[in-house]
Amino acid sequence: MSDASSTPGPSRTSDPDHPGAAAIDSLSDLGADLARRHRAVPSSGAAVPAPVVEADLDAVTRDGYVVLEGLLDEAECAAVRDAVAPLLDRTGRNTFEGARTQRAYGVLARTRACDRMVDHPRVLALLDRLLLPNYLLSQLQVINILPGEEAQLLHPDDAVYPVPRPRPPLGAATVWAVDAFTAENGATVVLPGSHRWGDDRTPDRTDARLPATMAPGSCVLFVGTLWHGGGANRSDRARLALTAQYCQPWLRPQEAFTLSTGRDTARAVSADIRRMLGYSIHPPFVGMVDGMHPQRLLDAPS
Ligand SMILES: O=C(O)CCC(=O)C(=O)O
């Protein structure tokens, strides 16, 4: 069932009770057999030159994050700004979401304008190396930090999963600057190297906190183990951002996108986003629907 597999399936047997049944000698055979029509295709990240990805990956491995500059142009940022403005109608329900921060969820079901922030090749090229094939989208939010907002509680995103640290990350995230991120307007604050900390360590005043300052159309990508948070907005203008979180394909995503996002949306997005919404399998079975690859739900008329 794995669409991560690109190898031909196992050979068919001549068992008279099960004509055409495949011989399965290993779990990878099983995955390859069940994928059949829905085999892996490389993500759009495969087109990114290897030296570029390796430099990005070196930074992430060393510091826990990397700033990817200038991935979207001003027209693309303006389109995102226009599309998300009507979605920003409320402030946070607690100080973690932010009393002076507007958030919008369910973005993919409401606009196509943000898709490139979810499946940008530079991001996918890194995720392809940090996570297992068929990693999933775990969250997608618009975050608009208003003037006067205080610094968010520092946190690692994958602390929601009860797995002891230190350990490899269970996911990764991007925060995209739609407006320029500055030290004054609430640029995401990162703690370099904190992705290696164990459970016995939380940030104290001696730890370096760096604002991820960047131009519109750039993003900061960090692993789920990195301590970070939204910055205080001491400017007189809002700071508009979009954040996408991704997780290993065997984990439960924070938002159940297969429940919250309709099949018309799943058909409308790119193959990379569709796979990340859950129309994919972690081999041999995780994510199946009625014993079959979930992509079949989209092949049939709904
Ligand atoms: O808005 C930001 O810069 C980061 C927000 C964040 O880390 C979160 O809400 O989990």
Side-chain angles (χ1 to χ4, degrees):
M1 194 171 294
S2 162
D3 57 7
S5 168
S6 56
T7 52
S11 57
R12 305 274 133 190
T13 68
S14 53
D15 177 343
D17 292 333
H18 299 282
I24 300 297
D25 297 320
S26 70
L27 286 181
S28 57
D29 273 359
L30 188 54
D33 180 59
L34 295 176
R36 300 208 191 159
R37 278 193 291 142
H38 297 291
R39 296 198 182 283
V41 289
S43 86
S44 68
V48 181
V52 173
V53 192
E54 274 148 30
D56 292 343
L57 189 61
D58 284 350
V60 174
T61 305
R62 183 184 65 238
D63 302 326
Y65 73 97
V66 63
V67 174
L68 305 174
E69 290 280 1
L71 302 188
L72 301 182
D73 62 27
E74 186 43 49
E76 290 170 296
C77 291
V80 170
R81 204 174 285 116
D82 289 349
V84 304
L87 312 181
L88 295 169
D89 57 358
R90 69 196 69 181
T91 48
R93 294 162 289 190
N94 52 50
T95 55
F96 187 82
E97 283 192 322
R100 292 189 194 82
T101 298
Q102 297 170 313
R103 290 181 188 250
Y105 300 86
V107 180
L108 288 175
R110 296 154 94 179
T111 173
R112 294 276 60 75
C114 304
D115 287 14
R116 189 73 319 189
M117 292 177 161
V118 180
D119 67 2
H120 195 284
R122 278 285 286 283
V123 171
L124 298 194
L126 273 171
L127 297 177
D128 288 347
R129 287 158 175 80
L130 290 166
L131 302 172
L132 291 172
N134 294 334
Y135 48 82
L136 296 169
L137 186 66
S138 183
Q139 280 229 26
L140 183 64
Q141 282 183 51
V142 183
I143 304 182
N144 194 36
I145 301 186
L146 301 174
E149 179 60 285
E150 294 174 8
Q152 188 188 31
L153 179 75
L154 295 169
H155 59 280
D157 284 335
D158 69 10
V160 295
Y161 300 117
V163 183
R165 298 173 57 129
R167 56 163 165 72
L170 302 172
T174 51
V175 183
W176 285 84
V178 183
D179 295 324
F181 273 26
T182 69
E184 288 71 42
N185 77 357
T188 309
V189 172
V190 294
L191 279 70
S194 60
H195 59 306
R196 286 189 290 269
W197 294 359
D199 282 324
D200 55 347
R201 187 159 172 199
T202 54
D204 65 30
R205 281 189 300 169
T206 66
D207 293 311
R209 298 167 191 216
L210 299 185
T213 56
M214 52 189 168
S218 311
C219 74
V220 55
L221 183 150
F222 48 87
V223 287
T225 39
L226 187 82
W227 286 81
H228 70 280
N233 188 345
R234 292 182 293 272
S235 77
D236 57 5
R237 304 187 64 169
R239 186 224 71 175
L240 184 61
L242 204 97
T243 181
Q245 289 189 33
Y246 309 84
C247 69
Q248 292 285 22
W250 43 269
L251 270 176
R252 184 175 184 178
Q254 293 173 64
E255 176 160 354
F257 283 108
T258 45
L259 298 177
S260 66
T261 308
R263 290 187 197 165
D264 287 346
T265 299
R267 289 190 183 95
V269 295
S270 69
D272 285 320
I273 295 181
R274 189 157 46 246
R275 189 172 61 241
M276 293 190 280
L277 286 175
Y279 291 88
S280 55
I281 287 293
H282 176 62
F285 301 126
V286 180
M288 67 179 170
V289 174
D290 197 16
M292 296 201 283
H293 195 287
Q295 176 74 28
R296 290 173 192 238
L297 293 172
L298 303 180
D299 297 342
S302 54

